[in-house]
Amino acid sequence: MQQTRVVIVGAGPSGLLLAQLLRRHGIDSVVLEQRTRHYVEARIRAGLLEQGTVDLLREAGVGERMAREGLVHNGFEVAFEGRAHRIDLHGLTGSQVTVYGQTEIQRDLDHGFVDNGGDVRYGVEQVVIEGYESAHPRVSFTMDGVRQEIACDFIAGCDGFHGVCRRSIPSDAIRIYERAYPFCWLGILADVEPLSDELIYANHVRGFALCSMRSRTRSRYYIQCPVNDTIASWPDERFWDELRSRLPSAHAARLITGPAIEKAIAPLRSFVAEPMRFGRLFLVGDAAHIVPPTGAKGLNLAAADVRVLYQALVEHYRLGSDTALDEYSSRGLARVWKAMRFSGWFTMLMHQFGDDPFAHKLQLAELNYLTESPAASQSLAENYVGLKFDQST
Ligand code: RFL
Ligand code: PHB
């Protein structure tokens, strides 16, 4: 039977970052991915990185291109009632965020890990995890029609929300906390100059809008849309008209439009699975928790899990101590729930929830308070740039 120290299920950002960090500390792993390398690289998702995530990518030795091409942002704008207010992230927290697409991170990890001899098996099917409550976990899978099995010390479930690891846990051993939101985000990518140097989050009676970017020549825009809408009902022109109508007029006038190179509708949900550890199985990233994207916390939370887990595994192999492994779940969940709170709050503040004028008035009062009060702005800013590790874990 094949043997390795850690089997990592999923070659998304969590899985490959964990594998790369472990390898730098001499800990071997095998990564199992159901999709092709091309498919995983092409998925368009996150775009905004906290400094802690940037630092971890650097520590993993895959931060070089990000340092050259990432866009450092010192603030962002919140727009409502026809005006935009800047949140000075750097002034309020001393920290910044970096715009660098998840597709680019995935490419850098593929280059750093896969192209340098990392063991990733793409296109695997029927992954089954076994024995994780014992000292001898095993993972079996089918590849090219052949059933194989790997014995390991630990399993890392980095297989996202729809993965197999969390679903392998008996329902009486796991507790799920969940909230669905009654709308989706329709997102488009277009090779046009971004509307502004910084991101703009807009609360509007017609619904939420977000102006983001991937580079100085590639824009990423989102609008809130009903859950039953389809891509077919949103031709480019309708999207651009709707986006314009939700922005302050001075911003709308500057909007540069062009053909969408990608268009997708994503549901919003908050989801937490507790605990995040089951014997020798550890759930990491989206496999354990999902936040609505409003605060851009998903990938950053995944990176925070990876940081705690890889350090704990290094401690296990180097010092023979399991203290950090034992704390993985409680430290992770402490951070996760603070990000849940922030993402849920920001989502409730910025979106329309139907025809409730009272609720809308309360949103506007809160937005006014948030942009006028330095204390309230600071609270928003410190959560947005990412809570410090010792503050949150
Ligand atoms: P992923 O990226 O879902 O990767 C999981 C991998 O596991 C594979 N897999 C399996 N492999 C083998 N066997 C099985 N049975 C398997 N089942 C699944 C999958 O094919 C996949 O390759 O999870 P990971 O690595 O934990 O990474 C999480 C992030 O991708 C996610 O949190 C972010 O994209 C969320 N997110 C954002 N996060 C941010 O921090 N900042 C943002 O600005 C941001 N914007 C976003 C987002 C997510 C979005 N969508 C569509 C979900 C914007 C959007 C629109
Ligand atoms: C993105 O650029 O995809 C993005 C940015 C900020 C968010 C969510 C998504 O809050």
Side-chain angles (χ1 to χ4, degrees):
M1 197 194 298
Q2 304 169 66
Q3 192 125 22
T4 190
R5 282 180 158 173
V6 186
V7 169
I8 298 172
V9 186
S14 303
L16 285 191
L17 181 56
L18 178 63
Q20 169 73 0
L21 286 160
L22 291 177
R23 183 170 63 177
R24 285 172 82 85
H25 288 81
I27 300 168
D28 59 287
S29 66
V30 174
V31 185
L32 303 176
E33 168 60 50
Q34 65 181 2
R35 305 284 191 175
T36 63
R37 172 171 168 170
H38 174 76
Y39 181 96
V40 178
E41 261 189 27
R43 276 190 306 221
I44 294 167
R45 286 184 168 180
L48 197 78
L49 309 181
E50 297 173 358
Q51 192 56 43
T53 305
V54 169
D55 293 343
L56 192 67
L57 288 163
R58 262 195 215 133
E59 193 179 328
V62 293
E64 204 181 292
R65 196 162 65 93
M66 178 179 60
R68 271 198 323 271
E69 297 177 15
L71 303 174
V72 174
H73 285 200
N74 289 309
F76 68 91
E77 286 187 329
V78 177
F80 57 98
E81 292 193 302
R83 287 169 293 126
H85 308 258
R86 182 166 187 269
I87 302 294
D88 177 5
L89 292 174
H90 192 255
L92 288 161
T93 67
S95 194
Q96 304 157 314
V97 291
T98 298
V99 168
Y100 191 65
Q102 187 166 324
T103 39
E104 306 310 314
I105 294 175
Q106 195 75 40
R107 277 175 56 196
D108 295 346
L109 284 165
D110 278 342
H111 185 64
F113 185 71
V114 191
D115 294 341
N116 284 300
D119 190 346
V120 184
R121 321 269 175 96
Y122 287 100
V124 304
E125 295 171 300
Q126 292 153 3
V127 171
V128 175
I129 60 171
E130 282 170 300
Y132 55 82
E133 291 291 359
S134 76
H136 305 289
R138 294 175 318 281
V139 183
S140 53
F141 57 97
T142 301
M143 196 172 160
D144 301 326
V146 180
R147 196 77 195 149
Q148 305 182 33
E149 194 168 28
I150 308 180
C152 56
D153 299 337
F154 298 101
I155 302 170
C158 300
D159 49 349
F161 182 66
H162 300 288
V164 67
C165 291
R166 189 188 66 250
R167 277 187 282 128
S168 303
I169 315 277
S171 57
D172 60 355
I174 191 166
R175 173 120 196 232
I176 303 295
Y177 300 84
E178 197 166 14
R179 178 172 293 174
Y181 296 88
F183 41 74
C184 288
W185 275 21
L186 166 62
I188 76 161
L189 199 62
D191 277 332
V192 291
E193 198 184 313
L195 171 57
S196 162
D197 288 343
E198 296 182 340
L199 270 60
I200 303 161
Y201 291 81
N203 172 304
H204 191 274
V205 281
R206 296 182 65 87
F208 170 72
L210 170 59
C211 306
S212 182
M213 67 196 73
R214 288 294 175 269
S215 70
R216 291 206 170 79
T217 56
R218 182 167 282 188
S219 298
R220 179 80 165 143
Y221 293 106
Y222 297 97
I223 55 172
Q224 172 184 352
C225 73
V227 273
N228 293 323
D229 273 14
T230 59
I231 294 295
S233 61
W234 285 97
D236 290 4
E237 272 321 305
R238 181 176 175 215
F239 179 91
W240 293 120
D241 287 347
E242 188 59 40
L243 176 62
R244 241 186 246 108
S245 76
R246 297 182 188 189
L247 299 174
S249 50
H251 286 64
R254 290 203 321 267
L255 182 72
I256 304 173
T257 64
I261 53 176
E262 199 255 3
K263 204 183 276 171
I265 294 182
L268 270 69
R269 66 162 71 85
S270 299
F271 176 97
V272 186
E274 286 195 1
M276 289 169 64
R277 178 203 181 165
F278 305 85
R280 287 174 170 255
L281 167 67
F282 296 84
L283 298 181
V284 181
D286 279 16
H289 40 73
I290 297 284
V291 284
T294 324
K297 290 290 165 229
L299 178 60
N300 293 299
L301 271 184
D305 291 351
V306 168
R307 180 180 186 268
V308 176
L309 182 56
Y310 108 81
Q311 288 175 347
L313 288 168
V314 169
E315 212 173 289
H316 169 87
Y317 286 112
R318 203 168 272 168
L319 307 175
S321 162
D322 283 353
T323 310
L325 283 175
D326 292 342
E327 287 172 1
Y328 172 76
S329 186
S330 57
R331 287 186 68 192
L333 286 167
R335 189 176 185 85
V336 164
W337 276 110
K338 288 187 186 119
M340 283 296 146
R341 183 206 71 80
F342 174 67
S343 306
W345 166 79
F346 205 24
T347 300
M348 303 294 282
L349 180 68
M350 298 306 296
H351 293 76
Q352 295 310 310
F353 285 79
D355 271 340
D356 183 353
F358 192 87
H360 189 59
K361 282 286 188 188
L362 285 182
Q363 278 186 338
L364 295 178
E366 185 156 5
L367 283 161
N368 274 311
Y369 172 60
L370 204 57
T371 47
E372 285 158 8
S373 154
S377 301
Q378 192 171 20
S379 168
L380 166 61
E382 79 168 345
N383 281 279
Y384 194 86
V385 299
L387 293 175
K388 297 214 170 15
F389 276 90
D390 49 8
Q391 241 178 311
S392 66
T393 57

